[in-house]
Amino acid sequence: MKICEGRVAIVTGAGNGLGKAYALELAEQGCKVVVNDLGVGTHGEEGETKGAAERVVEEIRANGGEAIANTDDVAEWDAGKRLVEAALDTFGELHAVVNNAGFVRDRMFFTCSPEEWDAVIRVHLRGHFCTSRHAAEYWRAQSKAGKAVDSRIINTSSGAGLQGSVGQSAYSTAKGGIATLTLVQAAELGRYGVTANGLVPIARTRMTDTGAFDMDINEGEFDEFAPENMASVVAYLVSEQSRGVTGQMLELKGGRLFLSQGWTDSTAFDKGERLDAGEVDAIVRDLLEKREPAKPVYGAN
């Protein structure tokens, strides 16, 4: 059963890794796909994978699917508009934006330069903003015109964003911001027929292929780190089946799917009046003893 039949989706950063897996699976499930990829390397090096979007489109078409390529920079405002227009001009509709594009700069916080910080924040946070913002404007106008809207924003966060990761202050900050952005989008856009959810992939990609993660498998075993594993969840979220599921962060490792429950309150101490500065330490340490343990920061001892 093709669960995305008749749907149209934009996938950013779809020339390699997770994005490519998403585009291929969406096309396999009947979706028409705008394959976006700027053709840069793991750290944003220009031209390293030039032509990647076109190659994915060729593969989709060879398998009988429908797709077009786009090589715009998703962190540019006008480029986001062009992406939405490309979907509408070619396929006549747009049902989903899958924000996947990004890169990393491996740096400890005390050695991260302003240029490295800005580059990572730009591609992830601004890159998630531009295309989705233009799509949301289109969907809102459709809804206000009385047309039925059943559309999706699918963002990409990370365990680094939810828990933090040593050596990834900029990346973790951007991915944490994306998780919060997803909650706001879900709250604001639901009235217009738009859901917003986030992905937390645990998968082998160019960004994890740095020696920092052990993602090796034994020959013949199920590859729980294959990017294709996450693609099934993306196809579900793009499809009409996911209607009403919104504001969630979906984590997947292999075939193990679960929801991140985010920040939540501990039990409270209430004095009933202003606390004295000298008594706060004992209260905080008691609350720390009683709270549920947090998931550890990646790479922390």
Side-chain angles (χ1 to χ4, degrees), residues 7-27:
R7 306 285 275 177
V8 178
I10 293 169
V11 184
T12 71
N16 298 277
L18 285 164
K20 177 181 178 179
Y22 300 164
L24 293 175
E25 177 65 17
L26 285 170

Side-chain angles (χ1 to χ4, degrees), residues 177-281:
I178 288 167
T180 306
L181 172 63
T182 304
L183 299 179
V184 176
Q185 289 171 331
E188 291 185 353
L189 299 176
R191 72 188 72 180
Y192 304 117
V194 182
T195 65
N197 292 286
L199 307 171
V200 186
I202 303 173
R204 186 187 302 101
T205 69
R206 292 185 300 166
M207 286 194 288
T208 63
D209 190 20
T210 60
F213 302 92
D214 181 10
M215 292 188 170
D216 293 332
I217 61 165
N218 296 320
E219 187 175 352
E221 291 184 353
F222 168 55
D223 185 358
E224 61 181 10
F225 301 113
E228 292 76 14
N229 298 336
M230 196 77 200
S232 303
V233 178
V234 173
Y236 160 71
L237 289 174
V238 169
S239 77
E240 294 180 352
Q241 291 183 0
S242 66
R243 185 183 295 116
V245 176
T246 194
Q248 304 302 315
M249 303 302 297
L250 290 85
E251 298 195 53
L252 182 89
K253 181 179 181 181
R256 182 170 175 256
L257 177 64
F258 53 101
L259 302 178
S260 174
Q261 299 192 61
W263 292 94
T264 187
D265 294 335
S266 73
T267 56
F269 172 88
D270 186 4
K271 184 180 178 181
E273 58 186 75
R274 179 179 174 178
L275 297 172
D276 295 323
E279 64 184 345
V280 173
D281 181 65

Side-chain angles (χ1 to χ4, degrees), residues 26-27 54 68 94 109 142 153 171 195 211 243 246 255 267 285:
L26 285 170
E54 290 84 353
I68 60 169
L94 176 64
F109 181 68
Q142 293 288 96
I153 295 174
Y171 180 78
T195 65
R243 185 183 295 116
T246 194
T267 56
R285 294 186 185 280

